[in-house]
Amino acid sequence: MASQSLHYHFTSLHLHNQQPRKTPTNPSPRPFTIAALKNRPLPGRKLRAAVIGGGPAGSSAAESLSSGGVETFLFERSPSAAKPCGGAIPLCMLDEFDLPSSLVDRRVTEMKIISPSNLTVDFGKTLRPHEFIAMLRREVLDSFLRARAESRGAELITGLVTDLELPRSSASPYVVHYTSGGSKRSLAVDVVVGADGANSRVAKSIGAGHYSYAIAFQERIRLPDEKMKYYENLAEMYLGDDVSPDFYAWVFPKCDHVAVGTGTVRSKREIRAYQRGIRERVRPKIEGGEVIKVEAHPIPEHPRPVRVRGRVALVGDAAGYVTKCSGEGIYFAAKSGRMCGEGIVRASEGGARMVGEEDLRREYLREWDDRYVATYRVLDLLEKVFYGSNWGREAMVELCGGEYVQRVSLESYMYKRLVEGDRWEDVKMAANTAATLVRCKIMGREMRRLKAAA
């Protein structure tokens, strides 16, 4: 489940007091770096890049590479497949990635967060009239982004990459071995972008290291018209040990159905039991519905130890760019792919020169970490604080009822920028957070005592 968080607001607890980075409204393209002059030219040809994986990360990388003058090959195993994903994207992504409104199934303006005790908070009271969270289907988005990359000059290859042969010298190519149409084939390239998901074959080829992952399980359920009407512009998030011991469950609206799912890191073998839990929690709302598709997929829990090695860079889920606490991944996948592609274009002077590991680190990896590493660290901390117990989840839902928390968090999520907060409100929010956690912990302990006595 690459991205579909309504929790992004909690980054404000640590981040929105920092001074926001001054960024011009229409920043000028960065000039080609002088360091690229150290790399040898490629007389008579352009830099050749293979992008493995045709999701948002791979397609965005391929579009940037081919638009920038790099000869680009985009590999996708199954273009018609649909990755299990809640499908929520922030409002800023529509403009930033020039996505047409026709891709959006639902414009969510109402959100409910439901605690383990079924305390319900309406989240979204501070949305402006033009604001919404876009819900879409991954198969629709992915197809659009691949087609656009093709229109910019990338060559789409429908095939399964079976092996990445590493070069024997700095001047040797990488060789991509793949099967297509029942035949085994090979392609020599100068640089590789691994965008092939949490089980990345590219990552394994370069020894990128292991990392923890969650399992997301989701059912697409077509509801009767009167029940679908309830979810017309509404998304729901459910918390509790019955639906996940360390994550959340969701009901997200699509064009003609809802996506009902959950995820877990600690108890992967029990994922079907947690799916039964969320179905039971929402049973009156989905009764009479027809399951039209069942999906499951791994989700990375943190960035890989190695994301650049040699002339190979990892992006999206392959790099581990899914946020803790929220599970958001679509925006960060597309953003990392674009940043990586643009970095390669800069370092190669529009495909005219070879690139090396230091180029990829300087132009892509350091830029990414400078911009987003704090977000990942804060959400990691918040997941540990709020998701470890039912009393922590109760506290989180209670805090979500505050208008200030909602305003700061929604703006941070929808526009991917730090919001300048009110310092007095920040102090009150911090005190309220501590008090709520203590109170909910005491209540949780008393509830367990009463149950044991009964």
Side-chain angles (χ1 to χ4, degrees), residues 145 262 294 355 412:
L145 292 175
T262 185
V294 178
V355 297
S412 298

Side-chain angles (χ1 to χ4, degrees), residues 3-5 8 87-97 99 132-136 328-332 410-416:
S3 84
Q4 62 277 30
S5 167
Y8 195 88
I89 62 172
L91 187 61
C92 67
M93 188 172 178
L94 296 176
D95 289 333
E96 186 175 344
F97 287 85
L99 301 178
F132 59 90
I133 294 174
M135 293 285 176
L136 42 73
E328 182 183 6
I330 297 177
Y331 174 84
F332 292 112
L410 279 171
E411 287 192 25
S412 298
Y413 168 75
M414 289 194 300
Y415 300 109
K416 291 295 176 283

Side-chain angles (χ1 to χ4, degrees), residues 67-78:
S67 297
V70 175
E71 186 178 4
T72 307
F73 302 89
L74 175 60
F75 289 83
E76 171 53 42
R77 174 182 182 177
S78 181

Side-chain angles (χ1 to χ4, degrees), residues 337-390:
R338 174 176 283 183
M339 288 177 67
C340 182
E342 290 175 345
I344 292 171
V345 169
R346 286 194 299 270
S348 67
E349 291 193 331
R353 292 179 176 273
M354 182 59 71
V355 297
E357 180 173 324
E358 180 52 35
D359 297 309
L360 297 179
R361 290 186 178 280
R362 180 188 63 252
E363 299 294 334
Y364 157 54
L365 198 56
R366 290 171 194 162
E367 291 252 333
W368 174 269
D369 286 348
D370 285 349
R371 189 175 300 188
Y372 295 117
V373 71
T375 295
Y376 284 83
R377 288 175 178 170
V378 168
L379 289 173
D380 188 9
L381 172 65
L382 293 171
E383 182 176 277
K384 293 174 182 175
V385 171
F386 290 109
Y387 279 15
S389 63
N390 272 351

Side-chain angles (χ1 to χ4, degrees), residues 92-165:
C92 67
M93 188 172 178
L94 296 176
D95 289 333
E96 186 175 344
F97 287 85
D98 197 21
L99 301 178
S101 59
S102 59
L103 299 183
V104 178
D105 285 337
R106 300 283 177 176
R107 289 168 167 77
V108 169
T109 55
E110 298 178 26
M111 292 148 278
K112 294 183 183 294
I113 304 178
I114 300 95
S115 79
S117 66
N118 285 324
L119 169 68
T120 300
V121 164
D122 291 320
F123 195 85
K125 294 179 289 188
T126 63
L127 285 174
R128 301 178 183 91
H130 69 282
E131 292 179 330
F132 59 90
I133 294 174
M135 293 285 176
L136 42 73
R137 288 162 289 161
R138 276 290 303 274
E139 60 268 33
V140 176
L141 173 66
D142 293 6
S143 178
F144 172 82
L145 292 175
R146 280 194 299 269
R148 189 163 69 184
E150 277 193 282
S151 72
R152 301 290 196 271
E155 180 179 337
L156 177 62
I157 298 176
T158 302
L160 171 64
V161 173
T162 57
D163 186 39
L164 177 62
E165 184 180 330

Side-chain angles (χ1 to χ4, degrees), residues 25-340:
T25 305
N26 295 302
S28 302
R30 286 182 52 192
F32 292 125
T33 173
I34 296 175
L37 297 177
K38 299 177 182 177
N39 297 330
R40 61 182 176 86
L42 300 169
R45 71 177 183 92
K46 287 288 191 176
L47 187 76
R48 288 162 61 90
V51 181
I52 316 300
S59 296
S60 298
E63 180 184 355
S64 295
L65 287 165
S66 53
S67 297
V70 175
E71 186 178 4
T72 307
F73 302 89
L74 175 60
F75 289 83
E76 171 53 42
R77 174 182 182 177
S78 181
S80 61
K83 178 187 172 182
C85 181
I89 62 172
L91 187 61
C92 67
M93 188 172 178
L94 296 176
D95 289 333
E96 186 175 344
F97 287 85
D98 197 21
L99 301 178
S101 59
S102 59
L103 299 183
V104 178
D105 285 337
R106 300 283 177 176
R107 289 168 167 77
V108 169
T109 55
E110 298 178 26
M111 292 148 278
K112 294 183 183 294
I113 304 178
I114 300 95
S115 79
S117 66
N118 285 324
L119 169 68
T120 300
V121 164
D122 291 320
F123 195 85
K125 294 179 289 188
T126 63
L127 285 174
R128 301 178 183 91
H130 69 282
E131 292 179 330
F132 59 90
I133 294 174
M135 293 285 176
L136 42 73
R137 288 162 289 161
R138 276 290 303 274
E139 60 268 33
V140 176
L141 173 66
D142 293 6
S143 178
F144 172 82
L145 292 175
R146 280 194 299 269
R148 189 163 69 184
E150 277 193 282
S151 72
R152 301 290 196 271
E155 180 179 337
L156 177 62
I157 298 176
T158 302
L160 171 64
V161 173
T162 57
D163 186 39
L164 177 62
E165 184 180 330
L166 305 183
R168 297 178 182 176
S169 71
S170 60
S172 301
Y174 288 83
V175 181
V176 180
H177 298 285
Y178 65 101
T179 59
S180 181
S183 301
K184 294 182 178 180
R185 304 180 186 184
S186 299
L187 178 72
V189 295
D190 303 303
V191 63
V192 177
V193 177
D196 48 341
N199 291 325
S200 171
R201 192 179 296 271
V202 174
K204 292 182 177 71
S205 297
I206 65 171
H210 299 289
Y211 60 178
S212 301
Y213 65 94
I215 288 292
F217 189 97
Q218 176 175 276
E219 294 173 297
R220 300 194 191 196
I221 302 176
R222 183 173 289 123
L223 302 180
D225 290 345
E226 67 275 11
K227 292 192 172 180
M228 193 67 211
K229 184 71 175 175
Y230 173 78
Y231 286 108
E232 184 175 10
N233 62 348
L234 169 69
E236 294 179 325
M237 295 176 57
Y238 289 80
L239 298 167
D241 284 334
D242 57 330
V243 298
S244 176
D246 49 11
F247 204 57
Y248 63 89
W250 62 89
V251 182
F252 288 166
K254 305 298 179 182
C255 59
D256 61 352
H257 63 275
V258 291
V260 180
T262 185
T264 179
V265 179
R266 295 202 308 257
S267 305
K268 300 180 184 69
R269 294 183 179 181
E270 304 300 320
I271 189 66
R272 288 186 178 273
Y274 298 127
Q275 182 66 13
R276 290 193 294 271
I278 180 57
R279 285 181 63 99
E280 181 60 27
R281 291 275 291 271
V282 300
R283 182 170 52 83
K285 301 173 186 176
I286 66 171
E287 212 162 29
E290 174 193 3
V291 177
I292 58 176
K293 194 167 189 177
V294 178
E295 307 165 310
H297 201 273
I299 302 173
E301 275 292 290
H302 56 79
R304 285 189 186 270
V306 175
R307 288 166 286 155
V308 167
R309 177 162 284 165
R311 286 173 274 135
V312 179
L314 303 177
V315 296
D317 283 13
Y321 293 152
V322 175
T323 58
K324 284 284 194 77
C325 188
S326 67
E328 182 183 6
I330 297 177
Y331 174 84
F332 292 112
K335 187 69 172 181
S336 64
R338 174 176 283 183
M339 288 177 67
C340 182

Side-chain angles (χ1 to χ4, degrees), residues 119 390-392 394-399 431-447:
L119 169 68
N390 272 351
W391 61 263
E394 292 285 351
M396 187 185 74
V397 174
E398 188 174 321
L399 288 167
N432 190 34
T433 299
T436 301
L437 282 168
V438 171
R439 184 174 67 256
C440 288
K441 185 173 184 177
I442 294 172
M443 290 176 62
R445 186 168 61 238
E446 287 301 306
M447 289 298 294

